[in-house]
Amino acid sequence: MSTFSDSVLLALGSAEGLKSALAPHGDTTGVRTLVGAVNDLDLGRVDEVQDVAVGDIALQVPFFRPRRIEGDLSRILPSHARTDLRLSIAGDPVWADILARVRVELVVEVDPGGVENIVTRLVDTSGTLDDFRAQVPFLDVDEFMRIHHLETIEDLRDAYEYLVAEIRLRAPSVFDPADPANAYGVEIAVAVLVLDSLDLTAGLRAAKEFRAATGHLLSPAGPTVLGEAIAPYAVAVVLPRPGAASDPRTGDVTKLFAGEGVLSLFLPTP
């Protein structure tokens, strides 16, 4: 007898089927969730998802979370000896029902970063305390003097020389979404997990268990146009489509899961 999991494999186990689920009728909201799940998006803002292409697909892929047991082995005869003992044991696997490479064509507004210029000047201490305060409005002068046991402007003048640095950041240009320079293609790995029942708690737990089991696979790399990579896999959870009046609405589930960086997909039961 075919199960819901079997029907999902048949429906989403091809590039065409998975693409239609990730971006149904051109709706790329779920793709944005996947992109944000693997990048912290601190350097760029996704303005538009232009295209989605699903590449290689693998079915029923196991991942083994590394576990280490440490201890020591001692003996007394003929003479005392101690040996450190470390064992790496592979436990039960965490399964990705579908594993796919997904290429996403994006229009991204990138923070240019960088410094335009830096100007450093010496603070004039020849005037009054009020004159000093006016030159360093960002500094609590009274607290500074208290900490350093200073009482008068003369004490300030004799204690230190004071420098103020003004740093001007590079101003971003006006963002033009039609400029080809703002178009980027990124690849993400997507793990699809299938639940046979509409169990939101189990779905979120499965997604987070998968993340915990695969987090060590994140390769160290410099920031991309989207920022630092934060996870090796984006996770999508497939649930049976709600049918009963008491079932939660799909919009509420999607919002709940997206808040945890997980994409929720709904398919009809066989």
Side-chain angles (χ1 to χ4, degrees):
M1 180 177 178
S2 176
T3 65
F4 177 70
S5 299
D6 295 335
S7 66
V8 171
L9 292 182
L10 290 172
L12 305 187
S14 65
E16 296 79 8
L18 184 56
K19 178 180 177 179
S20 65
L22 297 180
H25 309 293
D27 183 357
T28 58
T29 304
V31 177
R32 290 173 179 265
T33 298
L34 295 177
V35 171
V38 292
N39 299 277
D40 61 9
L41 301 180
D42 62 344
L43 299 180
R45 179 189 65 84
V46 177
D47 181 75
E48 181 186 356
V49 178
Q50 292 185 316
D51 192 23
V52 180
V54 176
D56 296 336
I57 286 182
L59 305 181
Q60 296 304 324
V61 181
F63 291 86
F64 295 89
R65 182 188 307 185
R67 294 189 302 170
R68 174 172 292 181
I69 299 176
E70 298 186 5
D72 60 83
L73 180 65
S74 298
R75 65 181 183 181
I76 296 181
L77 295 175
S79 61
H80 181 267
R82 179 174 175 174
T83 302
D84 289 331
L85 181 65
R86 292 182 176 87
L87 300 176
S88 294
I89 300 176
D92 294 334
V94 174
W95 292 88
D97 295 297
I98 301 173
L99 199 65
R101 301 295 303 181
V102 177
R103 181 171 178 82
V104 185
E105 303 297 333
L106 304 171
V107 175
V108 182
E109 183 180 7
V110 180
D111 183 349
V115 175
E116 187 71 28
N117 58 57
I118 301 176
V119 178
T120 304
R121 59 181 174 82
L122 189 67
V123 179
D124 182 9
T125 57
S126 61
T128 65
L129 274 175
D130 288 338
D131 294 332
F132 184 87
R133 288 190 180 93
Q135 297 177 79
V136 287
F138 50 84
L139 176 66
D140 186 337
V141 175
D142 293 333
E143 180 66 10
F144 176 83
M145 294 178 67
R146 185 191 67 78
I147 292 174
H148 295 279
H149 309 290
L150 308 174
E151 296 182 357
T152 65
I153 185 63
E154 288 78 13
D155 295 336
L156 272 172
R157 185 183 305 124
D158 295 340
Y160 307 103
E161 288 187 341
Y162 306 93
L163 293 174
V164 172
E166 296 180 359
I167 302 174
R168 178 173 296 176
L169 300 179
R170 186 179 302 154
S173 58
V174 177
F175 174 65
D176 179 9
D179 188 343
N182 294 320
Y184 300 88
V186 299
E187 284 197 354
I188 57 177
V190 178
V192 179
L193 315 180
V194 183
L195 265 71
D196 282 320
S197 62
L198 187 60
D199 188 332
L200 307 189
T201 298
L204 286 175
R205 287 181 178 177
K208 295 193 174 186
E209 182 181 11
F210 183 86
R211 284 177 178 168
T214 59
H216 67 286
L217 300 175
L218 179 63
S219 300
T224 66
V225 65
L226 295 177
E228 202 74 31
I230 56 177
Y233 297 98
V235 180
V237 175
V238 183
L239 301 162
R241 184 174 296 162
S246 58
D247 286 342
R249 295 180 299 179
T250 57
D252 294 336
V253 178
T254 298
K255 183 178 180 180
L256 176 69
F257 276 53
E260 298 297 319
V262 179
L263 175 61
S264 57
L265 303 174
F266 302 92
L267 265 68
T269 55

